[in-house]
Amino acid sequence: MQAIDAPAAPISVSLADSNPLVLSAMSELFDRDPRFSLVATSATAEGFLGMVMRVPVRIGVVDWNVPILGGQKLIEVLREQANAPRFVVYGDDPKGEVARQAMLSGAAGFVGRNTPVEKLLETCLAVAQGQMVFPFLDIRELQADPIHSLTRRERALLEALSQGLTNKDLARDFEISANTVKFHLSNLFEKLGVSNRAQAIAFYYSSRLPGERSQPR
């Protein structure tokens, strides 16, 4: 991690965690640190979403399993919004999969619950300054994953295909022309290395991350 300068003004932070003990401990941690300004806390993803839509913050610290949406969906929804916070996921990750999924979803950092609390503070400072902070991940694997190369629209198209929608259905639901549907599907098939919709659907069900869903169009 690069050297971190002291912020000129306190960094605004909101927290989301389903465990009341963890949420209380994190609240106290940020509340007593003059480098941060704790704006709000929530035990649910929906509560967090409502808070930051009303009062934007620079950093969001979220539990990956926060109910009901979950951390992944929460990050993917908010990253499309103006003034979205930069996210640090705070959770258990014995196999390293959560950190990987968090990065793919758009989080800027990950901190394991088994690390010293100071690590969470330092990560939030670094993320507020534009850094990405993750434990070791094989970036080659991330780059080799075809799903990682898809645009948001292409992910939504792939999920729509998996639900059995025809080109006519896609044109209607996405509010685009039939030719535009064919163009997008051609690009999608090329990125996935498949030649038809049946193969694309098979790829979707065999290769998507556990619990991963595309966002609404």
Side-chain angles (χ1 to χ4, degrees):
M1 189 184 300
Q2 301 176 14
I4 303 170
D5 298 327
I11 298 167
S12 56
V13 179
S14 284
L15 314 174
D17 200 294
S18 59
N19 187 320
L21 295 178
V22 172
L23 189 60
S24 176
M26 284 200 300
S27 299
E28 182 179 352
L29 180 69
F30 283 98
D31 206 26
R32 71 189 184 198
D33 192 316
R35 297 173 296 180
F36 297 94
S37 173
L38 180 59
V39 175
T41 66
S42 176
T44 67
E46 289 80 359
F48 181 94
L49 179 62
M51 292 185 312
V52 299
M53 292 295 284
R54 292 192 302 271
V55 184
V57 295
R58 289 179 63 187
I59 299 295
V61 180
V62 300
D63 171 17
W64 189 247
N65 296 313
V66 63
I68 297 173
L69 287 175
Q72 178 175 344
K73 179 80 75 173
L74 176 62
I75 294 169
E76 291 180 346
V77 168
L78 277 172
R79 74 183 184 187
E80 302 295 332
Q81 305 299 318
N83 299 319
R86 303 200 79 211
F87 281 98
V88 174
V89 174
Y90 185 55
D92 297 312
D93 192 21
K95 297 182 179 180
E97 277 301 304
V98 175
R100 176 178 179 272
Q101 292 179 39
M103 176 181 283
L104 291 174
S105 297
F110 177 88
V111 179
R113 293 188 193 268
N114 61 341
T115 59
V117 292
E118 291 77 12
K119 176 68 173 178
L120 178 59
L121 295 175
E122 293 301 316
T123 297
C124 288
L125 286 172
V127 166
Q129 295 185 11
Q131 298 181 34
M132 299 281 286
V133 184
F134 287 88
F136 174 76
L137 294 172
D138 191 340
I139 300 299
R140 293 171 300 176
E141 179 182 344
L142 293 177
Q143 294 173 335
D145 185 352
I147 290 291
H148 183 53
S149 70
L150 300 183
T151 65
R152 185 167 176 262
R153 172 60 64 89
E154 289 166 346
R155 283 173 178 250
L157 279 168
L158 180 57
E159 182 174 345
L161 285 181
S162 74
Q163 296 171 357
L165 272 66
T166 65
N167 282 14
K168 183 177 179 180
D169 295 330
L170 295 175
R172 179 197 65 226
D173 290 356
F174 284 78
E175 298 181 346
I176 56 180
S177 70
N179 284 337
T180 302
V181 169
K182 293 178 181 178
F183 173 77
H184 283 308
L185 290 181
S186 176
N187 286 338
L188 174 63
F189 294 166
E190 182 178 354
K191 288 182 178 181
L192 297 182
V194 301
S195 57
N196 55 53
R197 68 176 55 222
Q199 292 176 355
I201 293 171
F203 184 97
Y204 174 79
Y205 283 111
S206 65
S207 302
R208 64 178 176 159
L209 296 172
E212 182 176 358
R213 302 289 292 175
S214 298
Q215 290 301 302
R217 297 171 293 280

